[in-house]
Amino acid sequence: MYSEKVMDHFQNPRNVGEIENASGVGTVGNAKCGDIMRIYLDIDENQVIRDCKFKTFGCGAAVATSSMATELVKGKTIQEAMEVTNKAVMEALDGLPPVKVHCSLLAEEAIHAALWDYAEKNHIVIEGLQKPKSDIHEGEEDEKEEY
Ligand code: FES
C-alpha cells in the first residue's frame, strides 16, 4: 500500500524537532482526522531556507510527508519553496494512496503557514502566497463527506 520511500520517511523521519527563534513557524490541522503539523523555518538574510524542522501529531503519511517536505525546502529560496506543493511531495515519495492525499496537503499548508509567519514578521510580501487556513479540511473538494 505504501511505497518504500513513504515507509522509510515514516520510520526514519528527517528533521524532527523545533528551531528556537525560528524565522517562521506554521501550524495547521485537519479537523476531520484530528492531525496537526507544525513546521519551523530558519531563513537567512538572502531569503534562503537554512534549516527546517517539523513536529507532527498525526498519521504515518503525515509524518512521511512532513519529513519529505522539510528535505525538499531545505537550501531553497522562499520563492523556490513555494513550488514545493503537495504534488511535489507526493511525487518525491513515489505516491500516496488516495485516502492519504490530504496528509500531504497538510505539509504544503504548514510550509505556507510558516512562510506567511516569516513574511509578516519581516513586513514583506511573498509572491503567490495566500493567507493559510488553519484547518485544511475547509474547502477540501475531493473528499466525500461521510456520516
Ligand atoms: Fe489526517 Fe493523515 S489521516 S493527516
Side-chain angles (χ1 to χ4, degrees):
M1 177 172 173
Y2 288 115
S3 73
E4 270 174 38
K5 281 194 190 157
V6 173
M7 290 311 291
D8 177 31
H9 278 264
F10 168 55
Q11 279 161 345
N12 310 293
R14 326 304 196 254
N15 311 309
V16 177
E18 292 176 29
I19 296 177
E20 249 182 82
N21 304 318
S23 318
V25 183
T27 307
V28 293
N30 182 317
K32 203 166 158 194
C33 65
D35 293 350
I36 297 169
M37 194 182 289
R38 180 170 298 154
I39 293 231
Y40 300 81
L41 297 175
D42 176 19
I43 300 171
D44 73 11
E45 59 287 355
N46 299 316
Q47 300 195 332
V48 173
I49 298 171
R50 230 178 341 213
D51 199 8
C52 180
K53 295 222 182 289
F54 81 92
K55 277 194 160 175
T56 291
F57 309 93
C59 73
V63 172
T65 51
S66 357
S67 167
M68 182 54 92
T70 54
E71 286 283 273
L72 290 178
V73 299
K74 240 203 243 185
K76 290 205 162 67
T77 64
I78 56 176
Q79 272 310 328
E80 288 166 344
M82 288 293 295
E83 282 154 35
V84 179
T85 58
N86 77 305
K87 285 201 179 72
V89 174
M90 281 198 296
E91 270 171 33
L93 285 169
D94 293 337
L96 277 176
V99 291
K100 291 286 169 184
V101 171
H102 79 270
C103 318
S104 64
L105 268 176
L106 216 51
E108 178 186 314
E109 276 300 307
I111 291 172
H112 287 178
L115 287 172
W116 183 267
D117 182 40
Y118 165 77
E120 280 206 318
K121 280 183 184 150
N122 291 278
H123 311 289
I124 58 163
V125 173
I126 299 176
E127 217 187 301
L129 181 64
Q130 304 197 340
K131 192 171 192 324
K133 301 178 219 134
S134 54
D135 174 11
I136 64 117
H137 177 52
E138 289 169 30
E140 235 178 69
E141 284 145 27
D142 305 341
E143 266 183 293
K144 303 223 171 15
E145 297 290 340
E146 288 163 30
Y147 294 101

